[in-house]
Amino acid sequence: METALKSNIAENLRKHRVLRGYTQEYIAEYLGKKDYTAYSRYEQGRSNLKMEDAIKLADLYQVDVQELISVSPKVNQSFENQKKSNGLISILVDLDGSSSTLENNIIRLKKINELIAKQDL
């Protein structure tokens, strides 16, 4: 599997797991792995995600398998669907504890908020 694709899948898996508050140990047990390192290798991009595991994870996270293996998430469609349904937009932000990451995300969120106010999004 291509390195960039593995990296994207790894990031998607991590985001969905963290967003829902699951540990790697819990996910490994859910998938029937002997220990968490088997699942951890998926999130590190060191192992290819098995289709069987992708289906189980998609079911757990209540998303399409495509959402887990997608190189670029369907952000625009999600924005439009959420905007039409309740006027709100949900955005997932990565934070690593550094002030520069926080500042960059704040700038990004302000720009998105401005677009919403102008109804350009």
Side-chain angles (χ1 to χ4, degrees):
M1 189 179 287
E2 183 183 322
T3 304
L5 179 58
K6 267 188 182 180
S7 178
N8 285 317
I9 291 172
E11 184 66 18
N12 290 341
L13 292 175
R14 185 188 64 77
K15 283 181 181 179
H16 281 285
R17 178 182 59 78
V18 170
L19 182 64
R20 287 160 180 83
Y22 295 132
T23 63
Q24 287 185 344
E25 291 84 0
Y26 174 82
I27 298 298
E29 185 178 316
Y30 178 83
L31 295 175
K33 306 292 183 193
K34 292 183 182 181
D35 62 32
Y36 83 96
T37 58
Y39 174 76
S40 177
R41 286 191 292 272
Y42 287 157
E43 283 193 15
Q44 295 170 3
R46 293 177 44 211
S47 291
N48 292 335
L49 179 64
K50 295 179 182 175
M51 183 55 78
E52 177 182 328
D53 290 342
I55 292 169
K56 287 180 183 178
L57 290 171
D59 185 51
L60 177 66
Y61 298 145
Q62 298 179 341
V63 297
D64 293 329
V65 172
Q66 185 64 31
E67 183 71 22
L68 297 177
I69 62 172
S70 176
V71 173
S72 57
K74 302 174 190 172
V75 175
N76 290 337
Q77 289 178 356
S78 297
F79 281 164
E80 285 303 314
N81 290 341
Q82 290 177 2
K83 187 176 177 183
K84 289 176 185 174
S85 66
N86 61 11
L88 301 175
I89 295 176
S90 297
I91 298 173
L92 182 61
V93 177
D94 286 329
L95 297 173
D96 61 6
S98 72
S99 60
S100 63
T101 300
L102 177 61
E103 290 169 6
N104 288 337
N105 279 311
I106 289 171
I107 291 167
R108 190 172 125 231
L109 291 170
K110 284 181 179 179
K111 288 179 182 177
I112 292 170
N113 200 47
E114 289 170 6
L115 290 172
I116 293 168
K118 293 179 187 176
Q119 297 184 1
D120 286 342
L121 187 63

